[in-house]
Amino acid sequence: MKSKSEIMDIINKLDDHIADDFEAQDLDFKQWNDRSREDNVKTMISYAVCMANGGGGSVVFGVADKVKGKDLALKGIPFDIDATILQKRIYEKTDPHITPSFEDLFVQDNKIRLLIMHIFPGMPPHTTTDGAATIRQGKDCLPFTGTLRRQMVDITGQMDYTEEIIYEDWKTLFSHSAMERVREIMSRERVDETLISLSDEDLLTAIGGLKGQHLTKGALLLVGKPEAISKIIPQHRWSFRKMISDTDYSHRDDGTQPIPLALYELERFISVDNPLVTIESGLVHPEFNTYPTIALREALLNAFGHRDYRMLGTVMLKQYKERLVLTNPGQFIGGITPQNILHHPPVARNNHLMDLLDRLKLVNRSNLGVKRIFKSLLIEGKEPPLYREVGNNIELTFIASPLEQSFQKLVQQISMKGVPVEVDHLLILQYLMRHEQIDTSTAGYITQRGTEQAKELLSGLMKNFDLIEPIGRGRGRYYTLSRYAYGLLQDSLRYERQQHLDKEAVKTRILSVLKDRDLTNAEVRQITGMDRRQVNAIIKEMASEGVKIVGHGRGAKYTINK
């Protein structure tokens, strides 16, 4: 928004410029319509919506914006216009309500009255009560379509609600218990001691949460008193439900505490029913929760850090007997979808809040949070998380999978080879544990990778780790866990059974072709992926099914008694 002195400086330049030259994202000039006062009110309502959606700004009424020369451009407005009535009309005709502030500016020896309408940043989308909405983009008010809204949030970052400054005494908003919790987390994450040793004020200033003795909204979400947050950011809320069924619950709790304290409360509720499994291993008996602490913490911080604070709603955690469901207001942004979230470059709706969380070591901004969630589950043999976009909310589900001790030992054994085990590898191995076979297309789908990348992953698991074996070739090729992998899983009988099933499948494939035509050894090798020796061996086994060799040498063919 522009001050009266800034606007006066522009007016003094109108002998050499037109007002349109100075219009910008936060400033516009409009000529007063002397023929219809009602049309002027409609224009004010429209510009109030436009500016509120576009981050706020000022509109100066009484100036012709395309006319050069101060005497010609300064048209003015009637002296009997009551700004209080205008303010009331704009409030009544906007949804959510917009309350502008007005200032008079008298020029040309007080002979001409200009009226400045200041619009504060709103929580888009604002519309007129008729449903119309525009948004300020540069000098223009454009229709505020869904696509434009998403593009604005995703690309320009002009609507970072958490970066806004709260012009109140920060000490009256500050929670010592929240700051104590922040310092505990910083200490646990081994943050630089020089940062931890700073006073509360210096620490908040150092991370960018305190600017000129005023907190940002992002900082308030971290260290604010619950009552202050409820007053200034009423959208912030967390809820917990212990669910009996999809419609009933046995326990509920809600709060408006700052994020670090909300995190503590939600983890505490989950821990009541997050069973531990103890694994005896020498003198050390490690314990494993049904829902790994790392996965829970990362998921909750992502929910608070990425939720849309312009929307009413709550970060909701529902605990069912067989699953956890976490939802937060807001949709995926920046091209992120449930199908590419694992590898998509990081995109933040609330850049300022995420910066604060990153500097305090509560989150990592290098897109590691989602991978940590996946890996902490997969490495224990548990099912991967499920992301969905449900209406205007993002939903994350954890399945209450049991600890697979044998799979965990397999991961430990291959980690000792010095080759890093990536999330993609774990996803493929977990899929094979449950489905026994995987092809390139399926590998690409579950790892959110392209076909060529999926081929490289499968090749790496085969050559670097000796964990999978190929069956067949060409489009019909698929992979199974290797004998070595089943050995690490202490399930060699399962491997033998799988090998038997695979051999039977190969025999069925050969027989189906032989019913139509004879086959050479080379053709069988192409169909099955076997070598010459393996083909000869399986053909001998199929003699009882009427398969025989006709001819000798290169002219030899396999046929079936018909």
Side-chain angles (χ1 to χ4, degrees), residues 344-382:
H344 196 285
V347 181
R349 174 184 284 109
N350 307 308
N351 270 302
H352 176 66
L353 175 59
M354 294 304 291
D355 277 339
L356 297 179
L357 291 168
D358 183 35
R359 292 172 186 177
L360 296 171
K361 299 301 180 185
L362 273 72
V363 299
N364 184 293
R365 295 213 62 187
S366 303
N367 198 30
L368 299 180
V370 173
K371 289 184 179 179
R372 283 177 177 165
I373 293 172
F374 272 79
K375 191 167 187 176
S376 64
L377 291 163
L378 293 168
I379 209 166
E380 295 182 9
K382 296 173 180 177

Side-chain angles (χ1 to χ4, degrees), residues 25 49-56 121-126 134-137 144-164 217 235 306-311 333 348-353:
Q25 176 72 29
V49 169
C50 170
M51 289 295 189
N53 286 333
M123 288 192 301
H126 287 278
T134 57
I135 184 170
R136 189 71 170 179
Q137 292 278 277
F144 196 10
T145 61
T147 300
L148 184 58
R149 181 188 181 200
R150 175 163 289 194
Q151 287 177 346
M152 182 176 180
V153 174
D154 296 359
I155 300 172
T156 68
Q158 291 180 18
M159 297 171 68
D160 189 349
Y161 177 83
T162 63
E163 196 172 15
E164 295 177 12
K217 287 185 176 178
Q235 311 86 268
H306 293 294
R307 71 150 290 175
D308 192 337
Y309 283 99
R310 300 161 302 167
M311 297 172 56
I333 65 171
R349 174 184 284 109
N350 307 308
N351 270 302
H352 176 66
L353 175 59

Side-chain angles (χ1 to χ4, degrees), residues 7 28 30 32 44 58-63 76-78 81-84 86 101-106 112-118:
I7 293 171
D28 206 314
K30 298 302 296 181
W32 191 263
M44 286 185 167
S58 305
V59 183
V60 184
F61 290 91
V63 180
I77 71 166
I81 294 295
D82 189 338
T84 303
L86 295 175
S101 67
F102 287 96
E103 282 188 291
D104 283 320
L105 180 59
F106 295 95
I112 294 177
R113 178 194 181 192
L114 306 180
L115 186 63
I116 308 170
M117 180 176 72
H118 297 296

